Amino acid sequence: MKVYILEDEIVQQFRLESLVKNYMQQKKYPVEEIVTCDRSWDLLASLEESSRNNIYFLDIAIKGNQNAGLEIAEKIRKLDAIGQISFVTTHNEFASITYEYKVNAHDFIDKILPQKVFDERIIANIDHYITINRLKPLNEVFSYKTRTGKIIEALYADIRYFETTGIAHKLLLQMDGETLTMYGNMNDIENMSNNLVRVHRSFLVNQSFIKKMYKREKIIVLEDDTEIPVSRAGFKRLEQVWLKR
C-alpha cells in the first residue's frame, strides 16, 4: 500500500508528510511509498500506476478550485474501490456534502485543530487502516466494483467459481454455501488473482478447490464434487498452474 497526500500549501505538506513518515517508521508499518502532490491530476496520474487499497489524505480546496479534493476523491473511487479516504481541510462546511460525491470518506480532519489533536487524528486514521487490513489482508480479499456501481467483496478462500449466465456481463459468483448475481467482466476478474483460472469460456475457477482433473472427459471436479467443463485451452492453463505448485 501507498499513502497519498494532496496538499498545495508547502508548510502543511511538510507537516503532514513528516507526521505520516515518522509514525510509519516508528510502528514499522509496511508502506511502499508516501506520495505527496500539490495538484490533483498529478495524484491521479501516479495512482494509475499503483496498487489499490491505499490511504489518501486529501485537501479539498486546491489551486483555487474549492471542490478539487471532492472531485479527485470521486475519480480515486473508480480506480481504488476499497482505499481509505480522509479529508484534511479548513473547509468544514463541505463535510455534510461529501456523501453527494459517493466517495465513502473515512474521516474529515480540520487543519486548525491543536497540533496534538491533529496528530492524534491522523495517527488514528493510519491505525484504523492497518487494523482493518490485518483482519482482511489485501491479497486474500476479492473486491470488485460492478458495472452497476455495486462493490462486491469476499474472501478468495470462500470463492469456488464464477459462471456466465447467457446474459451479457451477468455473472454468478458461487461461494461456499452462497450464490451471488453480479455484473462484471470475466477477463477483468481473471486478472485480479493468480488463484483464479479460466478453464472454460463460461467458467473461472478458484484452483484451490480443484480436487481432480479428467482430461479425457474434459471436466474438473471440485472439493464439493461439483463438475466443471474444461476447454482444451483451459487444460493448458491448468497444467501451467499446477506445474508451479
Side-chain angles (χ1 to χ4, degrees):
M1 69 84 173
K2 295 183 179 181
V3 179
Y4 285 87
I5 296 170
L6 177 62
E7 174 58 64
D8 61 352
E9 296 178 3
I10 299 300
V11 173
Q12 182 65 15
Q13 265 190 22
F14 180 78
R15 174 192 186 193
L16 189 50
E17 184 177 356
S18 297
L19 172 60
V20 172
K21 181 178 180 180
N22 292 337
Y23 187 67
M24 287 287 192
Q25 290 177 343
Q26 174 192 335
K27 299 292 287 187
K28 297 181 179 179
Y29 284 154
V31 59
E32 296 175 41
E33 186 181 4
I34 299 173
V35 181
T36 303
C37 303
D38 63 0
R39 296 187 303 180
S40 55
W41 293 111
D42 288 341
L43 188 153
L44 192 63
S46 176
L47 179 62
E48 289 174 347
E49 304 298 326
S50 177
S51 60
R52 61 196 174 95
N53 196 24
N54 302 298
I55 305 178
Y56 304 88
F57 292 109
L58 308 178
D59 193 1
I60 289 182
I62 298 292
K63 303 294 184 182
N65 182 347
Q66 297 300 306
N67 295 328
L70 295 171
E71 292 167 358
I72 200 66
E74 194 173 31
K75 291 179 172 63
I76 286 170
R77 271 289 168 255
K78 295 178 181 179
L79 298 169
D80 187 352
I82 59 175
Q84 180 174 296
I85 295 176
S86 295
F87 292 106
V88 184
T89 182
T90 56
H91 291 271
N92 287 328
E93 67 271 20
F94 287 101
S96 62
I97 67 168
T98 55
Y99 74 92
E100 295 179 9
Y101 287 81
K102 300 178 181 179
V103 299
N104 190 25
H106 173 70
D107 203 358
F108 203 95
I109 304 170
D110 196 328
K111 290 182 186 178
I112 64 174
L113 286 170
Q115 184 70 49
K116 184 175 184 296
V117 178
F118 177 88
D119 291 357
E120 288 173 349
R121 288 284 292 277
I122 296 296
I123 286 170
N125 273 252
I126 296 171
D127 286 342
H128 176 269
Y129 171 92
I130 295 295
T131 299
I132 291 299
N133 283 278
R134 279 178 175 166
L135 294 174
K136 295 193 312 179
L138 176 59
N139 63 353
E140 296 179 11
V141 179
F142 169 77
S143 181
Y144 185 80
K145 188 173 183 179
T146 71
R147 289 172 176 260
T148 61
K150 183 179 180 181
I151 296 176
I152 303 292
E153 283 197 346
L155 293 175
Y156 279 111
D158 292 335
I159 295 174
R160 295 181 182 273
Y161 60 88
F162 295 85
E163 180 182 1
T164 59
T165 63
I167 299 174
H169 304 299
K170 186 176 183 179
L171 309 175
L172 295 179
L173 166 54
Q174 183 64 52
M175 297 189 290
D176 190 11
E178 182 180 10
T179 303
L180 295 180
T181 301
M182 58 179 284
Y183 286 86
N185 183 289
M186 289 280 261
N187 292 330
D188 291 343
I189 295 172
E190 179 182 8
N191 292 327
M192 291 177 64
S193 171
N194 292 331
N195 284 333
L196 300 177
V197 182
R198 188 73 171 269
V199 299
H200 188 275
R201 182 177 180 181
S202 299
F203 289 91
L204 183 58
V205 176
N206 185 342
Q207 60 163 310
S208 302
F209 284 97
I210 299 175
K211 182 169 63 175
K212 295 179 181 178
M213 294 193 300
Y214 296 97
K215 198 165 186 177
R216 181 177 297 177
E217 290 80 3
K218 298 180 180 179
I219 62 170
I220 55 174
V221 180
L222 305 186
E223 289 182 354
D224 62 354
D225 293 326
T226 298
E227 295 184 355
I228 304 287
V230 182
S231 65
R232 181 179 298 178
F235 269 117
K236 287 183 179 179
R237 295 190 191 100
L238 283 172
E239 288 169 352
Q240 291 174 352
V241 167
W242 281 46
L243 283 173
K244 295 178 181 178
R245 285 186 168 187

